[in-house]
Amino acid sequence: MSVTPENPAELSRRTVLRRAAAAGLLATPAAGLLSACVAGGDDEPTEQAAGEKSADNPLGVKEDAPLEVVIFNGGLGTKYATDVHIPSYKKKFPKAEVKFSQTEEVATVLQPRFTSNTPPDMVNNAGSKLMDQGALVQAGQVQDLTELFDAPSLHDPNTKVKDTLIPGTVEQGTFNGKPYVLNYAFTVFGLWYDAALFEKNGWTAPKTWAEFTALCDKIKAAGITPYSYAGANASYYQYLVILTSAAKIGGPDVLKNIDNLEDGAWQAEPVKQAAAAWAEIGAKYGNKAHLGLKHTEVQLQQNQGKVAFYPSGSWLENEQAKDTPPGFKYAVMPTPSVTAADKLPQTAIYAAAGEMYFVASKGKNPRGGMEYLRHMLSKDGARGFTELTKVLTVVKGAVDGMEISPGLTSGNQMLSAAGSDYFAYRFDTWYKKLDDECRAATNELMFNGGTADKFCERMQKAADAVKKDSSIEKFKR
């Protein structure tokens, strides 16, 4: 969640994380992007498949209508689609042909098809070259999912789909009051480390900022880089951590104000305090050589015992599975409290539904696309996903009784300790320009001697520009 580099081992951030970076329909400015989206004209496809609605077929899927599914091939892989969700759909509709494809560059492959109004039916929009989700919604290319969320759940026909989901799931994919996106992977974010390395050295996960810097000093003395991330493509991992600290200092409204483009939101004191604290970590405990590295390169260094703390989401363990040596034990901790007067406890975390899936409104089979999502949201569909990816979904109770991996166990424990004190932001999926700018500003802050004041001024200027740009639709929460 999440999310992202151009690498088969990469997961959208998701989203959570996410996050709608990349070449939003190839990084064109918003106005040009929208015209590109609809350049094929506003005509609907000549025919959209529809069948009879019934208790057994609440979305009215045409039983023999072909369905096309495109999945991002990243940190989650694609086996969850080919081995779990597609077989589930086929069992329900055996006469339907399901065409499956995968890509590492969603925008590159799919932009021409959305431009010509010949899109696939269901898309996993993720990766460093994902499409600008807000612009797609603005262009009328995305199906309203209200009918899906109001439909009976596949595993419990007496309960609506929306009532089987973790609170906040539907809202996370809502744009100005309507749900357009299913954020499926429930991702927890924090500072990841090797619990075995910490046990060996007698190091304890810190809770206060003083404990954090003191431990970083010990780690540095041991010849290990205390803290790092990949500047080439994973800077949103780091700005997420900065904004997590800001929310803990000043409360979650700090992020709500940023999302809503409120005047001065980026220059609020909690944001400055958080930026200043993390700038010091970058200056004293980071590795400037990592500015040019990709996420998997720095993550590999952590697997090799060369990096202690790494900011990321709960997809990390699965993403690194092939490079994780025996004995390495993934664990995660919340960001330490920056001040003694933080409004939220140290256990508070950034956690959110992420990894975007949507149905194309101008596809040939949007009802089939929504039905496919209903299968993803069944308990069997969610459990199979978690078994293959080591990542939770938004389906409540789907992993009850499952034996899970060290990293997923640690993430669950962190989420449990947080209780109701978890939060998220939305600006990254709403406004690609801000996501891009925040990545660049974060690298300047952490690697190039930037200051908190410069970071906040730069981001406020970018937010003000988006706010004044009438070609960009604005969203509120």
Side-chain angles (χ1 to χ4, degrees):
M1 177 142 25
S2 252
V3 324
T4 337
E6 308 166 16
N7 188 301
E10 164 59 353
L11 171 64
S12 146
R13 322 313 184 191
R14 249 162 170 78
T15 279
V16 186
L17 309 181
R18 31 61 27 123
R19 327 271 240 299
L25 296 176
L26 296 174
T28 48
L33 166 62
L34 292 174
S35 62
C37 281
V38 297
D42 294 327
D43 294 338
E44 293 293 328
T46 52
E47 183 179 355
Q48 289 189 315
E52 291 291 327
K53 290 186 179 182
S54 66
D56 192 49
N57 185 15
L59 294 173
V61 178
K62 191 172 186 291
E63 64 175 10
D64 60 351
L67 179 75
E68 184 178 2
V69 171
V70 178
I71 300 291
F72 170 66
N73 184 14
L76 295 176
T78 61
K79 282 179 70 63
Y80 69 88
T82 58
D83 294 10
V84 180
H85 299 149
I86 290 175
S88 178
Y89 186 93
K90 284 284 291 179
K91 183 178 179 180
K92 182 80 171 177
F93 299 100
K95 296 179 181 179
E97 175 192 357
V98 179
K99 180 181 178 182
F100 166 80
S101 61
Q102 61 187 38
T103 179
E104 295 165 34
E105 298 188 0
V106 176
T108 305
V109 172
L110 295 185
Q111 179 186 357
R113 297 188 58 184
F114 277 91
T115 300
S116 62
N117 287 337
T118 57
D121 300 303
M122 201 293 297
V123 177
N124 170 208
N125 189 26
S128 66
K129 292 194 175 180
L130 50 67
M131 294 179 286
D132 186 327
Q133 194 69 52
L136 283 169
V137 170
Q138 185 177 348
Q141 295 279 1
V142 185
Q143 179 76 21
D144 181 342
L145 298 179
T146 299
E147 196 172 351
L148 163 68
F149 291 124
D150 284 338
S153 164
L154 201 64
H155 63 267
D156 182 1
N158 295 317
T159 304
K160 292 181 178 180
V161 168
K162 64 184 178 184
D163 294 327
T164 68
L165 309 180
I166 292 171
T169 298
V170 176
E171 290 76 11
Q172 191 71 15
T174 294
F175 294 72
N176 286 344
K178 290 186 178 182
Y180 288 101
V181 176
L182 168 62
N183 289 279
Y184 183 64
F186 191 79
T187 306
V188 296
F189 294 84
L191 306 185
W192 292 80
Y193 61 96
D194 176 9
L197 176 67
F198 274 47
E199 290 164 9
K200 175 184 175 183
N201 288 282
W203 298 334
T204 302
K207 295 183 178 180
T208 68
W209 207 257
E211 291 172 352
F212 185 39
T213 55
L215 178 56
C216 284
D217 285 331
K218 291 180 181 178
I219 293 170
K220 189 173 182 179
I224 299 170
T225 298
Y227 182 92
S228 196
Y229 71 95
N233 58 7
S235 47
Y236 62 90
Y237 297 3
Q238 180 58 34
Y239 84 59
L240 185 150
V241 171
I242 295 169
L243 292 180
T244 295
S245 291
K248 291 168 80 165
I249 294 169
D253 278 355
V254 170
L255 303 185
K256 185 176 180 180
N257 292 338
I258 286 174
D259 285 346
N260 290 344
L261 302 176
E262 299 288 351
D263 292 342
W266 283 96
Q267 293 180 307
E269 191 59 29
V271 182
K272 287 185 179 180
Q273 287 180 285
W278 284 104
E280 182 180 7
I281 297 299
K284 290 185 177 180
Y285 305 115
N287 186 334
K288 292 189 183 303
H290 293 174
L291 174 61
L293 297 188
K294 291 186 176 182
H295 67 303
T296 48
E297 294 172 316
V298 178
Q299 289 164 193
L300 178 61
Q301 290 196 24
Q302 184 180 47
N303 294 145
Q304 295 170 340
K306 298 175 183 178
V307 171
F309 288 111
Y310 182 78
S312 190
S314 46
W315 62 80
L316 178 64
E317 184 179 37
N318 186 64
E319 186 169 69
Q320 290 301 109
K322 65 180 178 61
D323 293 316
T324 303
F328 189 100
K329 187 179 178 183
Y330 271 111
V332 62
M333 57 165 268
T335 57
S337 298
V338 175
T339 78
D342 284 6
K343 288 190 176 180
L344 293 179
Q346 188 270 335
T347 51
I349 59 172
Y350 187 109
E355 189 74 6
M356 298 184 292
Y357 297 78
F358 74 92
V359 176
S361 60
K362 299 182 181 181
K364 292 182 179 180
N365 190 6
R367 295 200 166 274
M370 287 193 289
E371 176 70 15
Y372 184 90
L373 297 182
R374 195 166 75 104
H375 285 253
M376 289 177 63
L377 292 171
S378 69
K379 277 195 174 180
D380 285 345
R383 189 180 182 92
F385 177 92
T386 298
E387 288 173 341
L388 289 171
T389 66
K390 301 184 179 71
V391 172
L392 293 172
T393 72
V394 294
V395 180
K396 292 186 291 190
V399 298
D400 289 352
M402 270 182 65
E403 291 186 14
I404 49 181
S405 61
L408 185 51
T409 299
S410 180
N412 281 344
Q413 291 170 346
M414 185 173 72
L415 181 61
S416 178
S420 60
D421 291 320
Y422 65 88
F423 47 82
Y425 51 74
R426 308 278 292 283
F427 76 89
D428 58 328
T429 56
W430 286 351
Y431 310 115
K432 182 185 179 301
K433 284 185 176 181
L434 286 189
D435 178 55
D436 289 343
E437 187 68 6
C438 202
R439 291 173 183 236
T442 297
N443 278 347
E444 180 182 36
L445 180 75
M446 297 296 291
F447 288 113
N448 293 327
T451 67
D453 283 341
K454 286 182 179 178
F455 174 85
C456 292
E457 288 170 8
R458 180 174 179 175
M459 289 310 303
Q460 191 60 56
K461 182 179 179 181
D464 290 345
V466 169
K467 187 173 183 177
K468 293 174 184 176
D469 189 339
S470 61
S471 72
I472 300 174
E473 184 175 1
K474 309 306 188 293
F475 304 105
K476 290 282 184 181
R477 70 175 178 99

